[in-house]
Amino acid sequence: MFKSVDSALKWATHISTLSIIDSPCLANHIPDHDGSPFRNDLLVNLSQAEIHAQSAQIIRMVESLDDPAFSEYMLAKYRMIDKLDTLIYRVASGFGGAINRRSLQNIILEYCGRKKFSTNDYKDMFGCGKSQAYRNRSVVYERMDKIHYQAMDALESKMAGAGLVLRNNC
């Protein structure tokens, strides 16, 4: 089993970038929370092709989440996509006023850990003062926090049902 949904997704993303021929011992290529590899007994007796199939199954679980915004978020977080139409729409809804889609996409990608912006960048993105720009960023982050927790819970349920992770009941 994987230690968490996060470790399963990091592993699946990593494996999906490798060719079967170039990856001799994929069972040990599972990054732990600190980035060091750990052994997963679930994968020990699998062939390289079966390990790639397991990786693809995990990615399909993400793609098949009931809420498309959850799927987009998880795929963006683990660097599998950049197209965030549903997620941008969800975050922008009820924002109160016009907001630039590119700005939202940039802040969502920052939330996912893929970009980094300064307060001046936010000011330029939103076309307002620094304090209002930071408030706008905070609103986006609050909405993304909600999506994050709901998406992780939905995916954890799916993966626990498939025996890939233990359900966290905390």
Side-chain angles (χ1 to χ4, degrees), residues 22-45:
D22 295 336
S23 41
C25 187
L26 298 176
N28 293 327
H29 287 212
I30 306 158
D32 200 353
H33 293 289
D34 63 1
S36 62
F38 72 89
R39 187 173 174 89
N40 186 332
D41 292 333
L42 183 69
L43 305 169
V44 169
N45 294 320

Side-chain angles (χ1 to χ4, degrees), residues 6 97 131:
D6 183 62
S131 60

Side-chain angles (χ1 to χ4, degrees), residues 67-134:
D67 189 327
F70 295 171
S71 295
E72 279 185 9
Y73 164 67
M74 298 302 282
L75 293 169
K77 180 173 175 54
Y78 292 93
R79 292 171 167 73
M80 291 183 250
I81 65 165
D82 289 326
K83 181 179 174 279
L84 306 173
D85 295 340
T86 304
L87 194 54
I88 289 169
Y89 178 77
R90 176 79 50 85
V91 171
S93 65
F95 206 87
I99 188 159
N100 183 314
R101 286 179 47 86
R102 176 65 66 190
S103 299
L104 274 180
Q105 180 170 344
N106 284 333
I107 293 172
I108 291 168
L109 289 173
E110 179 185 48
Y111 182 90
C112 293
R114 296 179 53 187
K115 290 190 174 197
K116 187 69 180 158
F117 297 103
S118 69
T119 306
N120 283 332
D121 293 330
Y122 299 131
K123 180 182 158 207
D124 293 341
M125 280 189 256
F126 290 113
C128 56
K130 287 182 183 181
S131 60
Q132 182 61 44
Y134 192 76

